[in-house]
Amino acid sequence: MKLLVRPSRVCGEIAVIGSKSHTIRGIAAALAAEGASTLVAPLESADTRSTLEAAKLLGANVMEGDGFWEITGTGGRFADPGRTLDLGNSGTGMRMLTGLCASQNFPIRFDGDESLRTRLMAGLFEALVPLGCRIESTNGKCPFTIQGPLRGGATKVDGTTSQFLTSLLFMLPTLAEDSTVDLDFLHEKPYISITLAWLDAFGIRYEKSDDMLHWRIPGGQKIPAFRRVIPADFSTAAFPLCAAALCGDGVVIRNLDFSDAQGDKKVFSYLEQMGAKIEHGTELAVLPTGGKLRGCTIDMNETPDALPAMAVVAALAEGETRLLNVPQARVKETDRIAVMASELAKMGAEVEELPDGMIIRGGALHGAEVSSFGDHRIAMALAVAGLAAEGETVIDRAESASVTYPDFIRDFQNIGADFTVL
């Protein structure tokens, strides 16, 4: 699908939908729990649907109602799915379920779409093998097959993506023996804080060092059935937020809980640092018409998903912006550093790639034909760029936005975005 974007002013309200990170953690926890759990206001998207369908194949019974999913779990005793688990484009779902499935005593095969087959898994595999897991994979990525059972013990995990550690933290407490986990480094620490908020709610015991590099997890624990309201997604909120800062006449963003652990709430402070005027409330943020944004230096290690949106803001701000310390952005659905550099250059931006980030010298953008490369955050970021550019922008593979924000086009049209599906 191609999306035609014309310059627009945006004004009005957007209610942010549920967090992908929270929803997928909720599905995984409910699958492993004994009894019926309820997710209220879960994100309904391609990624969460892939994870939910995989949970069904593993034995979860799912009843879907108006604004909730009731998931009756397996108590950790999964069913043999009898076929490959297709996780579509969901790296989070794949990694979360890999840890849990590794504890089963029969083989379980994973696969996904073309993009998912590029996502790193070797770091998680290497952490599971010392615990007793057998793995079949030709290149350290999917498709792969895993089989337990696991016994617990000492292991080490790669911190390039926080999802590897999250996968272990959900699974290790359920093993019979105690475990320890060590890391040399850890990117994206706020995502581990999200994980710990779930474990704390379940009463799961663990010990950790202050830098989150050393863990001790007692075994013999269980995930109880639960009811949880899924918080709104700050990663999704970044797109109307940046649009409002660049071409807004007052935008209200609803449903946000700033007490939640999501790292991407920092995008609000990034924009304030660049000169945006933001009013905070209990459940909303309002951006009235502001002045020209100014370039600055931002350490984005904790907010890699915000890189595409912030690159667009930087391209339209005055002066130089440095987006640094985010090497993991190169191993997401795409190499987001390289893709944003190439596509913004087509729109007239001056961009210098770094191994771990970007230097962008801002000014103005012009319309162009660009591609999302099938990456949902690239698609939405380029759409925001098109709203503030001169002339028309056409984005190829724009349907990828549905991975996390199925109503992206409609919601933006409702606040004045001139979007046309071609």
Side-chain angles (χ1 to χ4, degrees):
M1 181 186 88
K2 294 191 177 193
L3 181 66
L4 171 63
V5 183
R6 296 184 179 92
S8 310
R9 302 294 298 179
V10 292
C11 179
E13 297 188 3
I14 279 186
V16 180
I17 55 179
S19 160
K20 180 182 77 167
S21 295
H22 277 290
T23 300
I24 291 177
R25 282 165 175 76
I27 294 169
L31 166 66
E34 186 108 47
S37 299
T38 303
L39 303 183
V40 180
L43 172 64
E44 172 64 65
S45 74
D47 271 12
T48 59
R49 179 58 61 181
S50 294
T51 309
L52 187 65
E53 293 304 315
K56 291 179 184 179
L57 289 175
L58 293 167
N61 182 59
V62 179
M63 182 182 73
E64 300 185 38
D66 185 13
F68 73 91
W69 295 341
E70 183 181 277
I71 304 172
T72 301
T74 65
R77 300 173 297 278
F78 295 175
D80 186 338
R83 58 187 174 94
T84 298
L85 300 180
D86 183 353
L87 271 297
N89 188 250
S90 182
T92 307
M94 174 177 65
R95 289 160 176 164
M96 287 292 298
L97 294 183
T98 293
L100 293 173
C101 288
S103 66
Q104 306 300 301
N105 62 4
F106 51 87
I108 300 175
R109 186 170 176 81
F110 285 75
D111 203 353
D113 65 12
E114 180 182 356
S115 173
L116 197 69
R117 288 186 171 194
T118 70
R119 307 292 291 279
L120 300 178
M121 287 297 292
L124 181 54
F125 294 161
E126 291 165 2
L128 292 171
V129 167
L131 304 174
C133 187
R134 286 173 283 173
I135 299 164
E136 295 178 8
S137 172
T138 59
N139 60 359
K141 300 174 183 177
C142 76
F144 61 87
T145 301
I146 57 172
Q147 181 175 354
L150 303 185
R151 58 180 177 267
T155 194
K156 186 173 182 177
V157 70
D158 177 19
T160 298
T161 168
S162 63
Q163 291 174 5
F164 293 164
L165 177 58
T166 283
S167 182
L168 296 178
L169 292 175
F170 265 71
M171 175 271 293
L172 291 176
T174 68
L175 302 183
E177 300 179 17
D178 297 353
S179 299
T180 61
V181 181
D182 294 300
L183 303 92
D184 290 330
F185 64 93
L186 178 61
H187 295 318
E188 310 167 343
K189 288 182 180 179
Y191 285 101
I192 299 302
S193 297
I194 295 173
T195 296
L196 296 184
W198 281 86
L199 298 184
D200 292 344
F202 298 148
I204 296 294
R205 305 184 312 280
Y206 58 86
E207 299 172 12
K208 67 177 180 66
S209 60
D210 290 342
D211 57 11
M212 294 188 179
L213 297 183
H214 306 286
W215 300 76
R216 180 183 177 278
I217 300 101
Q221 303 186 69
K222 294 183 178 180
I223 296 176
F226 60 92
R227 182 182 186 276
R228 182 78 180 262
V229 178
I230 299 299
D233 198 324
F234 276 92
S235 299
T236 296
F239 298 101
L241 176 65
C242 291
L246 293 169
C247 52
D249 293 323
V251 175
V252 178
I253 304 173
R254 296 201 177 277
N255 295 346
L256 299 177
D257 178 3
F258 283 88
S259 69
D260 192 70
Q262 294 176 64
D264 280 352
K265 64 187 177 184
K266 287 189 174 182
V267 176
F268 284 81
S269 61
Y270 295 163
L271 290 177
E272 287 177 317
Q273 184 180 345
M274 298 178 80
K277 307 299 181 183
I278 302 176
E279 298 176 13
H280 294 268
T282 303
E283 292 185 335
L284 57 87
V286 182
L287 274 87
T289 303
K292 187 73 173 178
L293 301 180
R294 303 178 301 274
C296 64
T297 297
I298 302 173
D299 183 328
M300 299 203 68
N301 188 264
E302 295 186 347
T303 58
D305 285 343
L307 176 80
M310 290 305 303
V312 169
V313 173
L316 289 156
E318 290 181 344
E320 181 178 279
T321 299
R322 302 169 71 90
L323 307 178
L324 305 177
N325 194 25
V326 64
Q328 69 271 37
R330 291 194 180 274
V331 291
K332 297 291 184 177
E333 284 85 336
T334 59
D335 179 339
R336 288 177 173 162
I337 294 172
V339 169
M340 287 306 299
S342 69
E343 302 313 286
L344 287 176
K346 293 176 184 177
M347 301 181 74
E350 184 181 347
V351 184
E352 178 184 345
E353 278 191 57
L354 303 173
D356 67 342
M358 314 168 71
I359 300 173
I360 304 172
R361 296 169 183 89
L365 296 177
H366 58 73
E369 292 193 7
V370 293
S371 177
S372 73
F373 291 85
D375 186 326
H376 54 122
R377 300 200 195 280
I378 301 291
M380 292 185 282
L382 293 174
V384 171
L387 294 176
E390 295 182 5
E392 296 182 345
T393 298
V394 177
I395 305 165
D396 192 25
R397 301 180 67 182
E399 71 278 2
S400 59
S402 67
V403 166
T404 47
Y405 195 170
D407 293 327
F408 170 72
I409 292 174
R410 184 199 67 186
D411 284 358
F412 267 66
Q413 287 173 330
N414 287 341
I415 60 170
D418 191 342
F419 287 172
T420 304
V421 175
L422 301 179

